[in-house]
Amino acid sequence: MAGLDIERLLQRHGVMPTLQRREVAGVLLDKPQHLSAEQIIDCLRLAGSRVSKATVYNTLKIFSDCGLVREVNVDSTRKFYDSTTHAHHHFYNVDTGELNDIPCELVDFLSLPPLPQGTEQESVEVLIRLRSKTD
Amino acid sequence: MAGLDIERLLQRHGVMPTLQRREVAGVLLDKPQHLSAEQIIDCLRLAGSRVSKATVYNTLKIFSDCGLVREVNVDSTRKFYDSTTHAHHHFYNVDTGELNDIPCELVDFLSLPPLPQGTEQESVEVLIRLRSKTD
DNA sequence: ATGCTATTTAGAATTAGTCTATACTCCGCA
DNA sequence: TGCGGAGTATAGACTAATTCTAAATAGCAT
Ligand SMILES: [Mn+2]
Ligand SMILES: [Mn+2]
Ligand SMILES: [Zn+2]
Ligand SMILES: [Zn+2]
């Protein structure tokens, strides 16, 4: 994603496009992917950025609050940040830790349960847990 | 669940039914529920048990390895242990943190994606994220 | 320049969970 | 009746992701 695009994208989401935020967005929003905060920091450092750990975490919080990225909880030891924000589903390989997207059009429901009283639906997410086949 | 039942249940799963394991099982397997390790420790302490934190964590690991309980990752700050081990789904209220079961017969799929090469399916889990309705 | 606000930062603090080294329990056997 | 070993339990040190704090910095308006 080009620099000017990122700047406008942040502005459209009401986020001041500071250098650090553009750098974090540049790494994570580059393509459909799932990265942990540590992975993002490593990428930034490799590219010569001096952004601090605290700023990366602050920035990811701001991004997920405003819908620029999505948090994914599959691994209890850390969060993953998903650059794809529209509704979709995931494969999670428990052997390799790989996390991959399933486009939402590949999953169709014949029935879903009624929602509990006093609640509204925010999302419906399918997680298909995989093992690597050994046979 | 009565004491003798728990003892037999542990034995059937190949787990030596020590006092501490029977106590942890007595709390968690009492009914369908989702408890964190800390919640389980609090319950045990309230009931006068002297079981250590390390033993509770070791025991929960043993229980989930042998299929007596299931780990649920919805909240990135801690694991929940689910006393229901057969396939089912969850409502998660992001406002209250409430986690509730959806029986698997209330969810039917019309289509699911093909599995990636070299993998086999371990589980298919649906998570319906809810907000508390304010209107 | 001066102040004002938002932002960034280093490093301390937090916290769920793991690890380590020691102690206890149980049991078969000398 | 006293070992010895396997399995288990324990306190407390440790780890690592994340959050917090309090001080610096950057931009911008007066
Ligand atoms: Mn779609
Ligand atoms: Mn069923
Ligand atoms: Zn995704
Ligand atoms: Zn459940």
Side-chain angles (χ1 to χ4, degrees), chain B residues 63-123:
Chain B
F63 285 3
S64 52
D65 284 351
C66 78
L68 263 168
V69 307
R70 258 170 95 102
E71 297 181 2
V72 181
N73 297 309
V74 276
D75 177 341
S76 66
T77 67
R78 61 209 161 143
K79 282 180 194 160
F80 283 103
Y81 294 89
D82 193 336
S83 59
T84 301
T85 54
H86 61 252
H88 67 286
H89 310 287
H90 292 104
F91 285 122
Y92 181 59
N93 187 316
V94 298
D95 291 327
T96 65
E98 246 182 304
L99 184 62
N100 287 108
D101 286 335
I102 302 171
C104 74
E105 56 271 14
L106 293 188
V107 174
D108 282 300
F109 293 97
L110 194 57
S111 66
L112 278 171
L115 300 186
Q117 281 298 327
T119 66
E120 49 189 354
Q121 176 178 306
E122 175 162 300
S123 66

Side-chain angles (χ1 to χ4, degrees), chain A residues 40 54 60 70 72 81 86 92:
Chain A
I40 291 169
L60 290 170
R70 258 169 95 105
V72 181
Y81 295 88
H86 61 251
Y92 181 60

